Amino acid sequence: MQTIRQLPDLRDAVSGFRAAGERVAFVPTMGALHAGHMALVAEAKLAAPRVIVSIFVNPKQFAPGEDLARYPRKEQADSRMLAAAGVDLLWMPPVEVMYPEGHATNIAVTGVSEPLDGAARPGHFDGVATVVAKLFNQVKPDIALFGEKDFQQLAVIRRMVADLDFDIDVRGVPTQRDDDGLALSSRNVYLAPEDRASAVALPRALGVAARAIEKGDDAQAALATARASLEAAGFDVDYVELVDAASLGTPVAGQPRRLLAAARIAGTRLIDNVSVAEPE
Ligand code: PAF
């Protein structure tokens, strides 16, 4: 696996793949890799002969006071995992390569980025859209893979790709979970053992609410029950909402729906989501 930190070297390597007629699948990450990321890499390997992974902890998607400084950084372990998985190229730009002096462009995707995490974390999705657009222009992939755990992020990126005419096939990969159901996340390392034990209330509450809505129970009542069970488990709830899976707005009869939640336990903010089928 080549590890590249400068843009001209990346462009040379990608041109080499292109000259050989090889398609490129891309997995953008912020590192601290876990089995969720490796599932994206496995899908990428199936999708194209060349796989590029980026690791860049993007300061623009963290608000002041969020966990940028303590976000886990595990360069060597990450690099070993990616090499063992058969990744061709690891793109690890320093911050001054990504955002050189004078960088002044911001991408704001309206609509899908506004509710839910967009309301709870103002500016977050501008930071995500801006860095992902830059990564796409740097790597020029044919296919890009994102986890469905960050369901709103995936919707924002799909919107941006359509609106800005990126010729990239964006694919979502199902959330990977621990045995007890907690969605894998780089932030799970922040959880003390007792908080990790309580955190399982998040996927459980979503599962119970989704099943209740699917069997025709009142959705608002099911959401209120989910919120109450999270609070009983020690969570501070940002939101528990049922939305249209494409627009993330009000659910539309007959269209796919998604149940999303964000909540903090002992200061660690966790997000999760599940699909909700039509009532039986
Ligand atoms: O999901 C992430 O790890 C990040 O938001 C991403 C897509 C790599 C952009 O920084």
Side-chain angles (χ1 to χ4, degrees):
M1 181 177 77
Q2 303 178 68
T3 298
I4 292 182
R5 297 173 196 268
Q6 298 299 324
L7 202 41
D9 301 334
L10 176 69
R11 294 211 156 116
D12 282 352
V14 172
S15 303
F17 298 154
R18 297 250 165 258
E22 293 165 328
R23 281 161 62 82
V24 173
F26 175 46
V27 180
T29 82
M30 297 205 301
L33 302 179
H34 50 65
H37 297 108
M38 299 319 287
L40 300 179
V41 170
E43 284 295 323
K45 295 270 304 167
L46 294 174
R50 291 294 184 178
V51 173
I52 299 181
V53 174
S54 64
I55 295 180
F56 179 68
V57 181
N58 174 32
K60 288 200 185 297
Q61 68 188 78
F62 292 78
E66 288 190 344
D67 57 342
L68 173 62
R70 73 168 181 142
Y71 195 84
R73 284 153 170 95
K74 300 184 174 168
E75 240 177 61
Q76 286 187 358
D78 288 349
S79 177
R80 279 196 297 272
M81 282 166 79
L82 295 172
V87 167
D88 297 284
L89 194 160
L90 172 57
W91 170 227
M92 274 206 294
V95 75
E96 61 277 12
V97 166
M98 189 61 83
Y99 298 120
E101 190 66 31
H103 174 92
T105 299
N106 181 56
I107 296 184
V109 179
T110 57
V112 284
S113 74
E114 288 167 15
L116 308 167
D117 258 35
R121 304 180 67 191
H124 169 68
F125 287 120
D126 286 16
V128 170
T130 302
V131 81
V132 171
K134 285 179 67 73
L135 286 164
F136 283 174
N137 282 328
Q138 293 163 352
V139 173
K140 299 199 187 326
D142 299 285
I143 299 156
L145 299 104
F146 295 85
E148 286 185 348
K149 189 191 123 276
D150 295 292
F151 195 79
Q152 189 173 11
Q153 168 173 283
L154 179 56
V156 169
I157 290 163
R158 285 192 197 285
R159 183 75 261 158
M160 178 187 76
V161 162
D163 290 352
L164 298 184
D165 306 312
F166 281 104
D167 190 11
I168 296 172
D169 173 5
V170 173
R171 299 188 188 172
V173 175
T175 304
Q176 303 294 304
R177 298 181 180 278
D178 268 339
D179 290 345
D180 63 359
L182 184 69
L184 297 185
S185 164
S186 303
R187 290 189 167 97
N188 291 354
V189 296
Y190 298 154
L191 297 169
E194 62 277 18
D195 302 320
R196 170 64 190 80
S198 304
V200 71
L202 181 56
R204 284 197 185 140
L206 288 181
V208 169
R211 282 192 295 275
I213 297 167
E214 284 168 352
K215 76 177 173 55
D217 288 1
D218 177 65
Q220 289 313 316
L223 300 182
T225 303
R227 180 178 274 270
S229 63
L230 288 172
E231 286 168 354
F235 275 99
D236 227 350
V237 179
D238 271 358
Y239 60 80
V240 183
E241 281 190 40
L242 180 68
V243 297
D244 177 74
S247 69
L248 304 192
T250 308
V252 180
Q255 295 301 313
R257 294 173 300 171
R258 203 87 186 179
L259 178 57
L260 295 93
R264 278 169 216 282
I265 188 148
T268 296
R269 189 168 186 279
L270 302 179
I271 58 173
D272 202 351
N273 67 87
V274 292
S275 67
V276 179
E278 281 299 295
E280 292 154 4

